[in-house]
Amino acid sequence: MVNPGSCRSDSSGASNSSGDSSKDSSRCSTPVLDADRSDRLRDKMRRRMESGDRWFSLEFFPPRTESAAVNLISRFDRMGSGGPLFIDITWHPAGDPGSDKETSSMMIASTAVNYCGLESILHLTCCNQTKEKITSHLAKAKRLGLKNIMALRGDPIGETWEEEEEGFNFAVDLVKHIRSEFDDYFDICVAGYPTGHPEAESYEKDLRHLKEKVDAGAGFVVTQLFFQAESFLKFLEDCRAIGITCPILPGIFPIQGYQSLRHLVKLSKLEVPQEITQVIEPIKDNDAAIRNYGIQQTVKMCRELLDSGKVPGLHFYTLNREVATIEVLRQLGLWIEDPRRPLPWAVSAHPKRKVEDVRPIFWASRPKSYIYRTQDWDEFPNGRWGNSSSPAFGELNDYYLFYLKSKSSKEDLLQMWGEELMNEESVFDVFTCYITAQPNRNGHKIMCLPWNDEPLAPETNLLKDELEKVNRRGVLTINSQPNINGKPSTDPIVGWGPPGGYVFQKAYMEFFTSSENVTALLKVLKKYEPRVNYHIVNVHGRNLTNAPHLQPNAVTWGIFPGREIVQPTVVDPVSFMYWKDEAFGLWIEQWGKLYEDESPSRMIIKYIHDNYFLVNLVDNDFPLENCLWQVIDDMFKLLDAPPEECALYF
């Protein structure tokens, strides 16, 4: 199928565009504690086929603008929650696809793997590219952690195909080259055409070309779109008859609009069946009606495919949209948002990080930033976090990178955080409205903060009432977790890891607050030692802690059948000092810079940045009731007490 920015080609020299995808489901793309983390995509397919567990995958194309790239990464996170086996990113020769631009195919695919934790297939075409350039693209893909390639010839730049000197003219040659230069590192996917490629001499010859690609080293096939189940089933039968035994996935296109359908049909040189055109022509100006029809038509066709018993998975051409595809998957029962996480934090799918299972808790709401700042590490912690052996974190000066930016526009952020701030209490109100999910004074709901670009997690909702109280008084929380003592690992709110286990947590709070509050807090904390560990620091590096010998403190752990104890999050005093630079920097970079220099609003944010402290507190007695709320309450009581009583308060 031909999509914007997508190129798929036949080994006969015929060309076509389409997208395939290689993304593993949130349940399968990320490491699972009791699974082999060196899994390849083909192995995951094989296991799903053997178990009879059907899957789906999704195709996306590179956007044209930086803002669209930000939106696409957000869409990856949302659509990844439904459990696709993989995604694929198309290759658009006109968009500098192998570059480091945020809109390039290479960068979008790399971001999906490294920062969204999605198993991804990168399309690669050989048209108008030398062998040397293709090898360079493949080497870069490997370096970025990409493990899967969709090998295509691609569409000609002009009207006719021109052979590339020192290049390849057929997809089969590209497959052979990948195997020759990179051995078995990449899993390779190729394109198939249920009705034959439009430029092939015949349907039969096209099938033989497909077999050549598979015999050369391709591990599975994704087909061009089609409109009738029998088209694919006949194609599948014909492929099996000539000895193509690898998985063949049907390419599914939910009709979403009249013009997009016409455009795609023209590019892919397909013919829409009359029974479909008869329905959509009378409603061609009603996008909602066409989309609803497309959903039902797609659901019917997919059910026929799945009911045949010959189709293990479905590959969806999304056109970078989500509503229609998600609705189809819901109706088919394939969209499964599993609340249970392999680990309590978002996992990168980069093969280099496959052993990683311990992180500092500070980046819990900013996993992409954590991955960015640790991308140059040669080794990742496994089993425990040791500050003495931990390499330094990279600097975070590149807040502007598209995968680190807020998905909300400047206009939306100003509506949420205030077109104009009057005082520090205006900032307190923003935090409080975020915690309570109540509209601000101008009627806008606050859906994110600089330290968390998402609505509150269900786990945080367990603390909502207490968090509201402390935020109203200037204890501005950016991270917290309740104490948990032996909840089942399948618990929908706090559970993680494989079933049959039990999870534990120490109560944790992290917040910004004024120097006056910190002075009182330090007095209060003396009566809670050694139960409560604290670490308090300001932007200038004033550093106060009672952490013994700066050792890490495990704050989340799990016990599972047949395994040692797993401790995936820690409070580490050393890495906290790296985190504090980022945490303070977000005040200016993502909030303060919304306002003009020297404006009152900018100065309020700068005052908080310059004068507040960042505090983390851990209640080590997790079986007991969380004492951190009492700590904060005692701090307020001390602040509210008359001066003559303060010295006697404790």
Side-chain angles (χ1 to χ4, degrees), residues 548-569:
H549 312 296
L550 299 182
Q551 289 299 308
N553 184 355
V555 290
T556 308
W557 63 100
I559 299 174
F560 306 95
R563 285 189 55 88
E564 295 180 351
I565 292 174
V566 181
Q567 56 162 63
T569 66

Side-chain angles (χ1 to χ4, degrees), residues 199-479:
E199 296 180 27
E201 294 181 33
S202 68
Y203 174 76
E204 290 73 23
K205 281 194 174 182
D206 194 40
L207 285 178
R208 289 199 292 274
H209 290 309
L210 178 59
K211 189 172 190 304
E212 289 175 7
K213 291 188 284 188
V214 173
D215 291 345
F220 60 101
V221 177
V222 175
T223 77
Q224 172 65 287
L225 69 92
F226 53 89
F227 296 101
Q228 296 170 316
E230 53 265 31
S231 298
F232 175 82
L233 294 174
K234 178 183 182 302
F235 171 73
L236 180 62
E237 183 179 343
D238 293 339
C239 287
R240 299 301 186 225
I242 64 169
I244 300 175
T245 59
C246 67
I248 301 176
L249 308 182
I252 308 298
F253 170 64
I255 298 171
Q256 302 183 56
Y258 184 75
Q259 294 302 326
S260 62
L261 175 63
R262 287 189 60 191
H263 178 65
L264 290 168
V265 166
K266 178 181 178 181
L267 289 176
S268 56
K269 300 177 183 177
L270 289 174
E271 190 170 321
V272 181
Q274 187 175 4
E275 61 263 32
I276 293 179
T277 59
Q278 286 177 340
V279 174
I280 64 174
E281 280 292 338
I283 58 173
K284 63 182 181 181
D285 296 323
N286 188 332
D287 285 345
I290 288 184
R291 185 172 62 246
N292 290 336
Y293 166 75
I295 290 170
Q296 298 312 313
Q297 183 267 338
T298 304
V299 168
K300 178 177 180 295
M301 183 178 73
C302 289
R303 282 188 174 138
E304 291 181 42
L305 293 171
L306 296 173
D307 290 346
S308 73
K310 301 175 182 178
V311 177
L314 304 170
H315 183 73
F316 285 82
Y317 300 110
T318 69
L319 294 185
N320 287 11
R321 302 174 188 172
E322 56 191 286
V323 174
T325 298
I326 291 176
E327 181 57 30
V328 169
L329 291 167
R330 288 190 193 281
Q331 292 193 30
L332 293 172
L334 295 178
W335 183 268
I336 302 173
E337 295 191 20
D338 188 349
R340 186 168 51 85
R341 306 155 291 173
L343 288 166
W345 31 264
V347 183
S348 170
H350 194 299
K352 187 173 70 171
R353 306 183 79 116
K354 63 187 179 184
V355 301
E356 180 182 22
D357 61 13
V358 186
R359 288 184 186 176
I361 196 171
F362 317 124
W363 283 269
S365 297
R366 286 180 59 78
K368 294 181 176 66
S369 170
Y370 178 84
I371 293 165
Y372 176 76
R373 297 189 67 180
T374 59
Q375 62 183 326
D376 294 326
W377 287 10
D378 293 325
E379 296 181 0
F380 294 90
N382 171 233
R384 65 178 297 277
W385 179 274
N387 58 39
S388 61
S389 60
S390 299
F393 289 79
E395 297 296 322
L396 182 58
N397 300 318
D398 303 329
Y399 294 90
Y400 61 86
L401 291 172
F402 73 98
Y403 43 83
L404 299 178
K405 289 180 65 174
S406 172
K407 63 177 179 285
S408 301
S409 67
K410 178 179 180 179
E411 292 72 23
D412 288 341
L413 293 177
L414 284 169
Q415 287 182 341
M416 288 189 285
W417 302 344
E419 299 278 356
E420 184 179 359
L421 301 175
M422 307 305 296
N423 46 38
E424 292 171 65
E425 285 71 23
S426 300
V427 175
F428 301 174
D429 289 343
V430 172
F431 278 79
T432 303
C433 288
Y434 175 67
I435 291 295
T436 61
Q438 296 298 313
N440 62 19
R441 64 184 63 188
N442 296 315
H444 298 288
K445 274 201 168 185
I446 298 176
M447 305 303 294
C448 65
L449 291 175
W451 304 268
N452 190 344
D453 206 35
E454 302 291 338
L456 282 185
E459 181 183 37
T460 311
N461 280 322
L462 298 175
L463 309 173
K464 183 183 288 187
D465 291 344
E466 296 293 344
L467 289 171
E468 177 184 358
K469 293 176 187 175
V470 300
N471 277 274
R472 286 194 187 281
R473 294 201 60 179
V475 172
L476 307 177
T477 56
I478 61 172
N479 197 356

Side-chain angles (χ1 to χ4, degrees), residues 13-56:
S15 78
N16 168 17
S17 351
S18 160
D20 296 340
S21 84
S22 172
K23 153 184 175 179
D24 205 356
S25 106
S26 51
R27 299 158 299 179
C28 304
S29 64
T30 55
V32 179
L33 291 175
D34 55 354
D36 177 5
R37 295 186 182 189
S38 65
D39 277 356
R40 305 178 61 127
L41 179 54
R42 65 192 183 200
D43 296 327
K44 295 171 184 176
M45 284 188 184
R46 174 181 50 77
R47 283 200 304 274
R48 298 285 283 266
M49 292 170 68
E50 289 173 353
S51 68
D53 185 13
R54 292 162 171 169
W55 74 81
F56 69 92

